[in-house]
Amino acid sequence: MSNLEKRKVPKRRFKEFENAPAWEQHKLGEIAEVIAGGDINKSKIRVTGKFPVIANALTDDGIVGYYDDDFRVEVPAVTVTGRGEIGHAKARTTNFTPVVRLLSIKSQHNIYFLENSINQKRVIVESTGIPQLTVPQLKNYKILVTSIEEEKQIGSFFNQLDTLITLQQRKLNKLNNLKKSYLAEMFPAEGERKPKRRFAGFTDAWEQHNFMELIDNIIDFRGKTPKKLGMTWSNEGILALSAQNVKEGYIDKTIDAHYGGQALYSKWMSGRELHKGQVIFTTEAPMGNVARIPDKNKYILSQRAIAFNVNNAMVTEDFLMYLLESPSVKNNLLRISSGGTAKGISQKTLSSLMVKVPISLKEQERISFEFYNIDTLITLQQRKINKLKKLKDAYLNEMFV
């Protein structure tokens, strides 16, 4: 144990606090009032209003409506989720009413300091049933605090960083919404043969085809495992791509990362190697995500993900990806898929999918180029956000004990 850990002093402090006393550990109930959420008065709740009603949720800041003239918790305060993603803290600056399972904290300590301290450590709930964070449990949660002055500095720093992340996230949301709008307008709607938005020089109606007419063959290793080959996954080597890695429009190489050695790759992928730009599609859990192989690296195609070799005379790989992202095709995929909440689709089912495509490959290329430009902006914006989040994580580790 280092001297810093023994003294309960963070690695990084603002200059004026470098020689300040060590942080002190307290139970949250000793330094704050913890309030349980309650039921909603449905007769008073409005779509817009002065005082937000906040549920135990992360989307839209948890806001489910507003009261015009009533609130339960006066700010400054911090809310903490009690079910689902347990222990997520959020500083609040507008008087509000918490709903059932959302806990609230009132304290003299800085709310942004408390928010980041709780989120960094995460509240752990041990339960044999459905995990739920209660008022007594949160009161017993141990937290390290410092002087109000130092907390204000730390809280302000992270609030400014979070504001910057939020602004960048809004830019990303606008780009994603723009892409969704273009996908709806640049591909024909159900029952139509021409899109609403079109590039100059292209006027022909699109042709309807069975999806499999566009595909030479499908690479599918459903049910194949390293064990059947007398091998195992490893922590390094050639990345395996499963449905977890294939996001909407891109490959995430960090989630559920597992690898195979050269011997496994040779046995698994021999004669069916993937190439840059090839379209990958998820068949279930989740169903319908689509992306392209991003580079010339080797990959092992793993569970619940398939790859298409296209009929080059009828469709380009770039266009196929955006076709599979279009609203009409997504709706048809949902319609013909099987299963309840967890939808799935098979090769046999894909053979019943009908799609519309431009006769001209040049029109396909022009449409793809437009979406490629949008995707490039989305990727750059996502990288900015990822860098900011990594920066925040680094500061959290250094500025909190």
Side-chain angles (χ1 to χ4, degrees), residues 350-399:
L350 274 176
S351 65
S352 67
L353 176 66
M354 302 302 295
V355 296
K356 299 184 217 41
V357 297
I359 300 171
S360 168
L361 291 179
K362 287 186 177 179
E363 184 173 8
Q364 292 185 24
E365 290 168 356
R366 183 65 186 87
I367 292 168
S368 300
F369 182 70
E370 185 72 16
F371 283 107
Y372 170 79
N373 288 334
I374 296 174
D375 279 344
T376 300
L377 293 174
I378 289 173
T379 299
L380 291 173
Q381 190 61 32
Q382 186 64 64
R383 285 175 183 167
K384 287 182 183 179
I385 294 171
N386 291 343
K387 284 182 179 179
L388 285 170
K389 287 182 175 179
K390 285 182 180 179
L391 180 66
K392 179 182 175 180
D393 287 341
Y395 278 129
L396 282 169
N397 288 329
E398 293 185 356
M399 296 178 70

Side-chain angles (χ1 to χ4, degrees), residues 216-334:
D216 272 350
N217 60 74
I218 295 177
I219 301 174
D220 186 356
F221 296 107
R222 196 183 307 259
K224 192 169 188 177
T225 65
K227 187 177 180 180
K228 291 181 179 180
L229 300 176
M231 299 182 180
T232 60
W233 295 121
S234 58
N235 294 323
E236 58 183 11
I238 299 168
L239 179 65
L241 298 178
S242 71
Q244 293 299 309
N245 304 105
V246 182
K247 302 302 179 182
E248 194 64 71
Y250 68 99
I251 300 290
D252 189 331
K253 298 182 180 182
T254 63
I255 294 179
D256 191 34
H258 51 291
Y259 303 83
Q262 181 60 47
L264 175 61
Y265 174 81
S266 297
K267 283 190 175 183
W268 192 296
M269 299 297 298
S270 179
R272 300 166 74 177
E273 294 84 357
L274 304 177
H275 60 262
K276 182 180 179 181
Q278 192 164 11
V279 177
I280 308 295
F281 179 83
T282 61
T283 57
E284 59 182 310
M287 188 273 287
N289 280 358
V290 58
R292 282 168 294 186
I293 298 298
D295 46 45
K296 294 182 179 180
N297 293 341
K298 295 177 181 177
Y299 293 97
I300 297 170
L301 190 62
S302 187
Q303 298 300 309
R304 307 186 311 282
I306 61 177
F308 300 114
N309 285 319
V310 302
N311 179 344
N312 292 307
M314 296 188 67
V315 69
T316 68
E317 288 183 324
D318 289 346
F319 183 81
L320 178 65
M321 174 173 159
Y322 298 118
L323 176 67
L324 289 169
E325 285 188 296
S326 66
S328 59
V329 172
K330 279 193 169 294
N331 289 336
N332 284 333
L333 284 168
L334 282 173

Side-chain angles (χ1 to χ4, degrees), residues 153-187:
Q153 287 255 36
I154 295 170
S156 176
F157 174 81
F158 282 103
N159 183 41
Q160 291 178 48
L161 193 53
D162 284 337
T163 299
L164 183 57
I165 292 172
T166 299
L167 290 173
Q168 296 300 326
Q169 186 64 53
R170 286 174 184 166
K171 290 181 181 179
L172 178 61
N173 293 343
K174 285 183 179 180
L175 286 169
N176 283 324
N177 289 335
L178 176 67
K179 181 178 178 180
K180 287 179 183 178
S181 175
Y182 277 7
L183 283 169
E185 294 179 357
M186 296 177 71
F187 288 84

Side-chain angles (χ1 to χ4, degrees), residues 202-219:
F202 302 107
T203 58
D204 292 335
W206 289 23
E207 290 185 334
Q208 181 164 284
H209 292 278
N210 182 287
F211 178 75
M212 295 307 294
E213 292 179 58
L214 310 180
I215 307 300
D216 272 350
N217 60 74
I218 295 177
I219 301 174

Side-chain angles (χ1 to χ4, degrees), residues 45-65:
I45 199 165
R46 302 288 183 266
V47 176
T48 60
K50 189 175 181 182
F51 305 113
V53 177
I54 304 174
N56 183 75
L58 301 184
T59 55
D60 299 322
D61 273 346
I63 298 173
V64 294

